[in-house]
Amino acid sequence: MNRVAICRRIEHTGIVPVVRAESAEQALLACRALKAGGVDVLEITLTVPDAPQLIRTLAHEFPDTLIGAGTVTDSKQARACLEAGAEFVVSPGFDPEIVALCHEAEKPALPGAITPSEIMGALRSGADIIKLFPASALGGAKYLKSLRGPFPYVRFLPTGGVNASTARDYIAAGAVALGVGSELVDVVAIERREFETIAARTRELIRVVREARQEQRAQRSRVPRANTGGAA
């Protein structure tokens, strides 16, 4: 699957669960719960012990799922994850070397950015999707909406403080998908092995995103088109 197809899949799914856990075993169980909840995109952060091996395991167990690497902070890490089978690479900040390495492998790079200058730098490097992080720190959906003015065609993936309560506003503000971490896959639920709780939260978030997108389409269809015909 090439970069364009991978980005389309991410946008279609609408959410990217960010999986953090104290062990690879816990992360694997969490991923299975997320899959049961209906997602086909997963981001494994490098804070998980032996994350590249987990990516390799997940790619084998779930061949129909996009397995990405997250919290990637240098090109060495990016290379290890790509070699393990990562289909996309997410970073907390912007590093042009990571973007270039991903593009060499025909995989999308999703660098983190928060200011207009950072966003412009990431765009110049050819970043495929901009991870707006931490989204909640500067105003959440309102901040994203303000960025749509100067960056109307940029694909933003807000991450940080995103949950079922805020998802609708982010979609309305123009997010192409949502990065969701502890609000979806919290440590307590994993430790207690409350995997149905994780699956239920996943289903709820997917429902909210779908409904928000339907509302957006309905609103656009109600906007009257400008009359481009000549004078009568």
Side-chain angles (χ1 to χ4, degrees):
M1 191 178 294
N2 62 26
R3 285 166 52 197
V4 173
I6 293 169
C7 289
R8 285 177 179 169
R9 169 82 79 84
I10 292 171
E11 293 180 32
H12 175 76
T13 300
I15 66 170
V16 179
V18 181
V19 180
R20 299 182 186 277
E22 294 183 358
S23 70
E25 179 187 7
Q26 287 184 337
L28 177 59
L29 293 172
C31 288
R32 289 171 178 166
L34 291 163
K35 281 288 297 175
V39 297
D40 59 0
V41 178
L42 297 168
E43 176 188 331
I44 308 303
T45 68
L46 292 194
T47 57
V48 176
D50 202 9
Q53 179 56 46
L54 176 59
I55 290 171
R56 186 176 288 107
T57 297
L58 289 167
H60 177 74
E61 182 170 340
F62 301 121
D64 62 335
T65 300
L66 289 181
I67 310 299
T71 320
V72 178
T73 58
D74 60 48
S75 58
K76 182 179 179 180
Q77 292 177 341
R79 187 181 300 279
C81 292
L82 291 168
E83 290 176 351
E87 294 286 352
F88 60 94
V89 172
V90 186
S91 303
F94 165 55
D95 182 337
E97 291 185 6
I98 294 176
V99 176
L101 184 64
C102 289
H103 288 180
E104 287 177 10
E106 193 53 33
K107 302 299 181 184
L110 288 69
I114 196 68
T115 68
S117 294
E118 291 172 347
I119 293 167
M120 290 166 63
L123 291 174
R124 281 194 298 271
S125 76
D128 300 276
I129 296 174
I130 301 294
K131 174 184 175 178
L132 193 65
F133 174 79
S136 61
L138 292 179
K142 290 183 178 179
Y143 183 61
L144 172 57
K145 186 175 181 179
S146 71
L147 289 173
R148 299 298 295 175
F151 303 111
Y153 303 113
V154 175
R155 293 181 289 188
F156 286 108
L157 176 84
T159 306
V162 179
N163 53 44
S165 298
T166 61
R168 194 178 303 273
D169 290 338
Y170 278 113
I171 295 298
V176 299
L178 308 173
V180 190
S182 59
E183 299 283 354
L184 188 60
V185 192
D186 68 273
V187 175
V188 173
I190 295 175
E191 290 178 346
R192 293 178 178 176
R193 294 179 176 264
E194 297 174 348
F195 300 118
E196 177 51 37
T197 297
I198 295 173
R201 290 175 181 172
T202 304
R203 288 190 287 268
E204 171 65 10
L205 187 56
I206 290 173
R207 182 190 65 79
V208 171
V209 169
R210 287 176 177 171
E211 289 182 355
R213 286 176 166 176
Q214 290 173 354
E215 291 170 3
Q216 287 294 95
R217 288 192 290 269
Q219 289 177 4
R220 286 196 293 267
S221 68
R222 289 195 294 267
V223 175
R225 296 183 180 180
N227 185 355
T228 58

